[in-house]
Amino acid sequence: MTIHGHKAGAALAIAADVRAGRRSAVSVVTDVIADIEARDTRFNSVTRILGAAAVAQAEEVDQAIAAGRDPGPLAGVPFGVKDLFDVRGEVTTAGSIVLRDNLPATRDAVVVERLRAAGAVPVATLNMDEFAYGFSTENAHTGTTRNPHDTARLAGGSSGGSAASVAAGLLPFTLGSDTNGSIRIPSSLCGVWGLKPTYGQMPLGGVYPFVASLDVVGPMADTVEDLRAVYAIMAGGTPVGEPDVGDVRVARLGGWFANNISTELAAGIDAVMAHLGQDRVIELPEVARARASAFLISAAEGGNLHLARLRRRSMQYDPATRGRLMAGAMLPAATFVQAQRFRRWFREQVHAALAHADVLIAPTTVGVAPRIDQPSIVVDGKTVSARANLGIFTQPISLAGLPVLAAPLAVDGLPLGIQLIGAPGGEAKLFAVAAELQRAGLAACRPLDAGYARKDS
């Protein structure tokens, strides 16, 4: 395992420069927009550039500084949002042509509003699986997002545009959603940091829904420091305390979570555990059934949400999404009820396991990103669809509503990632472990060309 260095948080560095007058917010935003226009044709991570509106907000940041007013902790920092977050003045499409004729949003999603109030500037909406139903960001309407580390490979999904734009160095942080792994999977395949907060912690106002029982929104970034700062603002502005990592009990998940993974990923987890000086292994019961329950709940709630529109406009849906939603809409109610009953039982089992460890470590995916021309992975010796099955390690954890921090392992070659899983409300301990792994060089994001790092001439 090769150890790579890390740098100070790019978002926080930009904000410090803007607040101190070393850079103007307008120059930062215009440079980022120009960089996206020049380079994103390779990756297809951005669906719309919010040019005029972004420059206008950047001007307001510069005016506040000139007038001696506090511009906010993220002054002038550009960011992008998965295209299911409302941005005032824009149509929220959720990656579908079905919604493209809707009226523009009259206000931002709550978390976008909070970031704006902190001085951050939304500059782009980002590609995704249609209606967030997939793990690959293969979209019949907006195209496939390509992995910046190898454009012949998938970026993962459904927040693929969010992860790829950070990995490509186009944006210092982005927002995504995670129902069954949609932040964690692309974060790991693209080699960036991502956070799925505790279920119910983040406000979902102004975010297009998918599965009310599981939906969560969170940030992606290229350093732990930036991820922590953005998360705190999204959560209401309270700074995240961080305990001493030596006081955090860590265990790895065995059984289901030790099967099917690549040898390099297994070695990476071994190295993390050895560095932390921990060797406890915990097995969760009935993980396969937990994954099946997450599948059923997602299909049933998603299908029910779209049923009326499917009856009228089914042929406008991405074919891969349409079939899964229609199948979900036809599930018997008793099946959904039983899945929810199992969900409650499984959550109790996971909480019991967390009495013995503060942070559980597990793989995020089975290995590196699949190729676009062969969008599949091997599970138990069988070749299966990547779009539906990249979440074999993330879906069971979603069922329990736990916070999970996706950490990119610092390895040669294509990115690999792990999940740091905590108890409800346990984000501070996740950040403590993540910060230690970053400090030790065991985990690090490697953006290809951080265009936002350019300085005024």
Side-chain angles (χ1 to χ4, degrees), residues 48-67:
R48 278 170 293 171
I49 296 175
L50 312 176
V55 171
Q57 188 191 339
E59 288 173 344
E60 293 176 3
V61 171
D62 288 335
Q63 289 165 5
I65 293 170

Side-chain angles (χ1 to χ4, degrees), residues 349-424:
Q349 307 312 303
V350 178
H351 288 186
L354 285 164
H356 305 287
D358 302 304
V359 174
L360 304 172
I361 292 181
T364 308
T365 61
V366 298
V368 301
R371 291 182 58 84
I372 292 173
D373 60 0
Q374 295 177 325
S376 59
I377 59 173
V378 177
V379 177
D380 294 336
K382 299 177 182 178
T383 299
V384 295
S385 162
R387 182 167 186 162
N389 292 283
L390 273 168
I392 66 168
F393 299 133
T394 56
Q395 286 173 291
I397 304 304
S398 291
L399 200 67
L402 306 175
V404 189
L405 198 156
L409 292 178
V411 296
D412 277 338
L414 295 171
L416 294 166
I418 57 174
Q419 300 181 82
L420 307 179
I421 304 160

Side-chain angles (χ1 to χ4, degrees), residues 124-455:
T125 61
L126 306 170
N127 203 15
M128 57 181 287
D129 287 289
E130 185 185 49
F131 292 116
Y133 207 170
F135 291 130
S136 58
T137 312
E138 298 171 279
N139 190 307
H141 314 302
T142 55
T144 297
T145 292
R146 295 176 176 269
N147 193 314
H149 293 277
D150 179 353
T151 55
R153 295 179 182 270
L154 294 170
S158 63
S159 307
S162 302
S165 56
V166 173
L170 298 172
L171 294 165
F173 81 88
T174 57
L175 302 188
S177 68
D178 192 309
T179 301
N180 285 294
S182 289
I183 287 174
R184 291 163 283 162
I185 290 167
S187 291
S188 293
L189 296 184
C190 291
V192 306
W193 299 91
L195 179 70
K196 171 198 172 294
T198 302
Y199 174 77
Q201 183 189 85
M202 287 287 176
L204 296 178
V207 179
Y208 198 88
F210 175 26
V211 181
S213 294
L214 303 172
D215 287 348
V216 177
V217 298
M220 301 154 111
D222 69 358
T223 65
V224 174
E225 294 84 0
D226 282 352
L227 193 74
R228 185 194 301 112
V230 174
Y231 159 71
I233 291 166
M234 293 175 68
T238 302
V240 181
E242 194 174 291
D244 187 317
V245 71
D247 296 329
V248 179
R249 300 168 302 160
V250 178
R252 69 192 300 172
L253 289 179
W256 175 274
F257 297 94
N259 298 328
N260 294 303
I261 64 175
S262 69
T263 55
E264 188 176 24
L265 180 51
I269 296 175
D270 287 344
V272 166
M273 294 298 292
H275 175 76
L276 296 172
Q278 314 255 5
D279 59 7
R280 181 186 291 271
V281 178
I282 291 176
E283 289 197 28
L284 301 178
E286 299 283 3
V287 180
R289 190 173 295 177
R291 184 182 177 226
S293 295
F295 254 128
L296 289 169
I297 291 168
S298 299
E301 291 194 20
N304 182 264
L305 178 69
H306 288 270
L307 181 57
R309 190 184 291 118
L310 282 166
R311 285 171 171 157
R312 302 191 313 271
R313 305 171 64 183
S314 63
M315 298 311 294
Q316 290 183 293
Y317 281 72
D318 181 323
T321 309
R322 178 177 64 236
R324 297 172 76 190
L325 288 173
M326 292 178 74
M330 291 186 286
L331 282 171
T335 301
F336 175 76
V337 171
Q338 187 60 31
Q340 289 284 16
R341 285 176 179 160
F342 178 84
R343 178 190 182 206
R344 289 191 292 273
W345 177 85
F346 184 72
R347 185 167 52 212
E348 291 172 359
Q349 307 312 303
V350 178
H351 288 186
L354 285 164
H356 305 287
D358 302 304
V359 174
L360 304 172
I361 292 181
T364 308
T365 61
V366 298
V368 301
R371 291 182 58 84
I372 292 173
D373 60 0
Q374 295 177 325
S376 59
I377 59 173
V378 177
V379 177
D380 294 336
K382 299 177 182 178
T383 299
V384 295
S385 162
R387 182 167 186 162
N389 292 283
L390 273 168
I392 66 168
F393 299 133
T394 56
Q395 286 173 291
I397 304 304
S398 291
L399 200 67
L402 306 175
V404 189
L405 198 156
L409 292 178
V411 296
D412 277 338
L414 295 171
L416 294 166
I418 57 174
Q419 300 181 82
L420 307 179
I421 304 160
E427 282 81 357
K429 292 179 180 178
L430 301 183
F431 278 113
V433 174
E436 173 57 23
L437 297 181
Q438 180 179 254
R439 185 204 63 76
L442 290 168
C445 172
R446 293 170 286 155
L448 299 185
D449 177 17
Y452 47 76
R454 296 171 187 143
K455 302 286 184 180

